[in-house]
Amino acid sequence: MRLPGGFADDVKSQADIVNVISGYMTLKKRGANYIACCPFHNEKTPSFNVHQGKGIFKCFGCGVGGSVFDFVMRMEGCGFPEAVRLVATKSGIAIPLVEEKEDQKKASRDRETILHLNEWAAEFFEAQLEVGPAGKAACDYIDSRGISLETRKLFRIGYAPDRWDALTNYLKERGASVAEIETSGLVTVKEDGKSYDRFRGRVMFPITDSQDRIIAFGGRVMGQGEPKYLNSPETALYTKGRNLFGLALARDEIRRSGFAILVEGYLDCILPVQHGIRNVVATLGTALTDAQVRLLRRHMERPRVVVNFDPDAAGQSAALRSIEMFLTEAFKVNILKMPTEQDPDEFVRASGAEAFRSLIRGAKPYLDFVIEGAIDKHDVTRPSGKVEAINAILPHLVRLPDKAARADYAAQLADKLKVDSRIIREEIKRAATDRHPALDPRRLKSGEDVTDAERQLLEILLAKPDVRRVMVTSLTEEDYAQLATETLFAKLIELEREGAEPDYDALSQRLDGTFEQQLLPGLLMSDLGWAGGDDFDTLFKKATESLLSLKRRRLEKKLDSIQIELGQREREQKGATMTPEQWEGFQQSMFVLCQEKISIATWLDHDLKARKA
């Protein structure tokens, strides 16, 4: 139904903003204004003001303000026309009818009819839980999933009898025609024109809009059977991908907490709500859509979401796909990856609400999730795998508006992939400029060039058995870890400890990588002329200098990594609420990192002075 021109202005002039807002919250008179704690952000001292004469509201804490329509749109998560209708209804103002085209009239009638039929269907499904052995079996199933009686009634969970026409007959008894029932989507119409109940032998979950009106249903089988979940088809009232399960119950808590938790399934939403975690909504059996993201966006001033999809591969892929849509709508996105193979509802039942809240507080920024996923998916021990991982991550790094955060992530990624962080920083700049975020594999190879120190040390170890025997006793995995020649060092030492000569045949048989295979002949053919002599003392001194150089390079990178971690932890701590035990653990971990930093810095300083002396 369309609204006539000028009607919104009439409603605004006639409506009492204090009366309308008082229907949502308690206002107290103070001077010329009415005050309360703001419903749109957390606060203990009231800063939300309503001026009755001017018909406006303003929160001096979060800055939100506007007309009575602005308030209702925020509270209801609806558009302007619906807000006008709601304010008119709450104010007792008659809504005039506007002549509509016939198809518009039919669509309006169909929507109203389906609302009535859905409400009757919900009443029928709820009542079936009290009927006979089948109803008891459904109740037992609901109980087995940890759902309490109170929660069952809150979500209006019911049961569809395993009969072809149970609901159809009930709706007919209530006065619905066959045509109306077929329009509702509650029955399936066959090719021969006959129909049967769409939902049979299933536990039923009503799907509501943001105003808590039942617009569709979802049904779950209690035992074996496909599909496990069955939803209503699209109707004049319900369009797939435009609603979120549980939003009507969650919207107030979403506004209060400032963020939403997005899960995949009905039970993943219901169980946290039962345990007091109220800002949870679920997708409706389909991939997340732009419309659902925009719907969620309406309920937050500074939108934040924690995506908590199932821990299986499909759930994690869905979480990755959701990131782009949320970023488009300016959401701050964190990803909660379950520490076990349990779905959210199973975890809450097994570990309790506080454990789940702790996971939510520890949910990682989406970039951490993207980086971990890219590294897990690709074989980053090989150059091609590193390129693929970097190319999966680069588009997300480019979108980061904070330069310091980009630099931090570039350093982290370089450390994880064992590449030069300078390459990644340069690629971020190039991708932002060229709008083509993909790394040229040749750029990565140039960053993996063997340093002089490791090349010289390998040439000596391969050519001089007496030096090799002495040096191998002091070489540790830490000395050559993350070097381009790491595998060569490992296999050379492995052969030495087996008492075998590390010649070309013996080494090449143990090397899988093309890079190492191509490097090996040149190392073995070196005449060591660069060393200034081929006696033991000269070569041992050169080998020791090379080893110290590698250690210095490693410790410099470690120092950079510690500095980045300290900065990240400090930022995380500022936004976290910690128990005394958590605070003590945080301080202890920071102390350990600082001590390590001091130790490394001292060694590097001492080494620098020794080289200058």
Side-chain angles (χ1 to χ4, degrees):
M1 180 176 61
R2 291 190 299 109
L3 297 175
F7 180 64
D9 292 333
D10 293 340
V11 172
K12 185 187 290 186
S13 64
Q14 296 178 53
D16 184 337
I17 191 171
V18 170
N19 287 340
V20 173
I21 293 180
S22 293
Y24 293 92
M25 54 197 290
T26 301
L27 297 174
K28 293 183 179 180
K29 188 80 163 66
R30 178 177 292 178
N33 292 347
Y34 290 80
I35 66 167
C37 285
C38 181
F40 305 118
H41 80 287
N42 266 327
E43 63 177 8
K44 295 181 180 178
T45 303
S47 60
F48 181 86
N49 286 252
V50 182
H51 195 292
Q52 192 170 31
K54 296 180 179 179
I56 59 175
F57 74 95
K58 173 70 176 178
C59 175
F60 293 94
C62 66
V64 171
S67 70
V68 65
F69 300 138
D70 294 312
F71 178 86
V72 171
M73 282 191 288
R74 286 182 177 278
M75 292 298 289
E76 297 288 352
C78 63
F80 182 77
E82 185 63 22
V84 174
R85 292 189 184 95
L86 287 170
V87 173
T89 302
K90 293 174 186 293
S91 304
I93 300 170
I95 301 175
L97 297 175
V98 175
E99 190 63 31
E100 295 177 315
K101 294 179 181 178
E102 191 55 41
D103 58 342
Q104 293 174 325
K105 291 180 181 179
K106 183 179 184 305
S108 296
R109 287 195 303 269
D110 286 346
R111 285 192 291 270
E112 290 300 319
T113 298
I114 296 170
L115 275 175
H116 286 303
L117 294 186
N118 283 348
E119 180 60 34
W120 292 345
E123 293 172 3
F124 174 76
F125 294 143
E126 287 179 284
Q128 296 309 301
L129 291 173
E130 311 299 328
V131 178
K136 184 180 184 307
C139 285
D140 290 343
Y141 173 80
I142 294 169
D143 291 342
S144 74
R145 299 306 301 259
I147 300 172
S148 68
L149 177 61
E150 181 182 4
T151 301
R152 189 182 90 191
K153 291 182 176 179
L154 177 66
F155 283 90
R156 300 191 65 180
I157 299 170
Y159 172 68
D162 194 9
R163 301 201 303 273
W164 295 101
D165 57 1
L167 177 62
T168 299
N169 291 336
Y170 174 80
L171 294 176
K172 287 179 180 177
E173 290 171 5
R174 293 291 298 263
S177 69
V178 172
E180 288 173 336
I181 296 171
E182 290 178 353
T183 302
S184 71
L186 292 168
V187 297
T188 298
V189 181
K190 296 188 291 185
E191 291 182 1
D192 60 7
K194 295 180 180 179
S195 63
Y196 56 88
D197 288 357
R198 180 177 181 84
F199 301 102
R200 304 179 308 282
R202 292 174 178 268
V203 172
M204 299 300 296
F205 302 92
I207 298 168
T208 65
D209 61 12
S210 61
Q211 296 173 50
D212 208 23
R213 300 176 301 184
I214 299 174
I215 57 174
F217 291 91
R220 191 197 192 284
V221 294
M222 295 186 293
Q224 299 299 315
E226 292 294 336
K228 182 186 293 184
Y229 284 98
L230 179 66
N231 282 355
S232 294
E234 291 196 355
T235 65
L237 188 63
Y238 172 67
T239 302
K240 292 178 182 178
R242 291 190 175 274
N243 297 92
L244 290 164
F245 182 77
L247 181 58
L249 294 172
R251 62 185 187 181
D252 290 343
E253 181 62 19
I254 288 172
R255 276 193 292 267
R256 190 197 67 78
S257 65
F259 75 100
I261 303 164
L262 180 69
V263 296
E264 285 188 285
Y266 301 120
L267 294 175
D268 292 335
C269 175
I270 290 170
L271 266 297
V273 170
Q274 177 174 300
H275 284 75
I277 302 168
R278 308 281 298 196
N279 55 330
V280 187
V281 294
T283 56
L284 289 165
T286 58
L288 184 71
T289 66
D290 293 330
Q292 288 172 322
V293 172
R294 289 193 296 271
L295 176 63
L296 199 56
R297 173 71 177 83
R298 294 179 187 174
H299 298 275
M300 287 171 273
E301 183 67 20
R302 297 179 181 86
R304 290 194 298 133
V305 65
V306 174
V307 179
N308 181 206
F309 287 170
D310 292 346
D312 58 21
Q316 296 307 291
S317 294
L320 193 60
R321 289 194 299 272
S322 74
I323 290 170
E324 186 67 27
M325 285 182 278
F326 279 119
L327 293 179
T328 299
E329 291 297 323
F331 273 79
K332 179 181 178 182
V333 186
N334 282 28
I335 306 293
L336 172 51
K337 189 173 182 180
M338 303 301 292
T340 65
E341 291 303 308
Q342 296 169 307
D343 292 345
D345 76 295
E346 296 169 331
F347 182 87
V348 171
R349 288 176 59 195
S351 304
E354 191 49 47
F356 190 58
R357 286 192 181 95
S358 179
L359 290 182
I360 293 168
R361 288 192 293 268
K364 294 182 177 180
Y366 77 92
L367 249 176
D368 291 357
F369 175 79
V370 169
I371 290 172
E372 285 183 9
I375 290 174
D376 289 343
K377 184 177 179 180
H378 301 99
D379 181 5
V380 296
T381 63
R382 298 178 178 276
S384 61
K386 292 180 183 181
V387 170
E388 290 168 350
I390 291 172
N391 285 341
I393 297 163
L394 263 181
H396 298 281
L397 282 175
V398 171
R399 293 189 65 151
L400 272 183
D402 188 319
K403 291 183 179 179
R406 282 203 303 268
D408 281 354
Y409 275 112
Q412 285 184 53
L413 182 58
D415 189 53
K416 290 177 185 291
L417 296 180
K418 305 173 188 175
V419 299
D420 190 340
S421 63
R422 183 184 68 256
I423 293 173
I424 297 177
R425 289 196 300 271
E426 290 173 355
E427 286 302 309
I428 293 172
K429 290 180 183 177
R430 189 179 68 83
T433 303
D434 300 345
R435 300 188 182 279
H436 182 65
L439 173 65
D440 184 341
R442 290 172 296 181
R443 292 272 296 134
L444 184 61
K445 189 178 186 308
S446 69
E448 285 195 331
D449 287 344
V450 180
T451 63
D452 287 341
E454 58 190 295
R455 181 185 294 275
Q456 290 171 4
L457 180 56
L458 278 168
E459 287 178 358
I460 295 171
L461 296 181
L462 287 167
K464 295 296 180 179
D466 52 350
V467 178
R468 181 173 67 242
R469 280 191 289 273
V470 176
M471 292 298 297
V472 162
T473 60
S474 57
L475 265 171
T476 66
E477 287 186 22
E478 194 175 32
D479 290 323
Y480 52 82
Q482 301 186 19
L483 296 177
T485 54
E486 177 180 356
T487 304
L488 264 172
F489 273 106
K491 298 306 179 184
L492 185 154
I493 293 169
E494 186 180 283
L495 286 167
E496 177 65 28
R497 288 174 178 165
E498 291 175 4
E501 180 65 23
D503 55 21
Y504 178 79
D505 289 336
L507 273 170
S508 62
Q509 289 175 8
R510 301 194 183 199
L511 297 175
D512 297 324
T514 303
F515 171 73
E516 293 89 352
Q517 293 278 8
Q518 292 175 344
L519 185 65
L520 181 58
L523 295 172
L524 287 165
M525 292 170 66
S526 173
D527 61 4
L528 302 184
W530 55 266
D534 61 358
D535 59 288
F536 176 88
D537 290 340
T538 299
L539 293 177
F540 180 74
K541 180 182 177 183
K542 290 292 185 182
T544 303
E545 288 174 354
S546 296
L547 182 57
L548 285 173
S549 178
L550 292 177
K551 182 175 182 179
R552 183 168 57 254
R553 182 170 179 263
R554 171 173 57 82
L555 290 178
E556 286 171 347
K557 291 180 68 176
K558 179 66 174 176
L559 192 61
D560 289 342
S561 177
I562 290 174
Q563 193 61 48
I564 290 169
E565 187 172 357
L566 285 169
Q568 286 178 328
R569 291 196 179 196
E570 286 173 356
R571 286 194 294 273
E572 290 171 2
Q573 184 271 326
K574 288 178 183 177
T577 302
M578 296 187 180
T579 64
E581 292 79 10
Q582 289 171 329
W583 174 245
E584 183 179 347
F586 172 78
Q587 287 183 310
Q588 180 62 32
S589 65
M590 291 291 279
F591 175 77
V592 170
L593 281 173
C594 288
Q595 288 294 103
E596 187 176 4
K597 175 184 172 183
I598 292 168
S599 175
I600 293 172
T602 301
W603 189 95
L604 290 171
D605 184 59
H606 176 77
D607 180 61
L608 180 62
K609 290 177 180 177
R611 285 188 290 115
K612 287 182 177 180

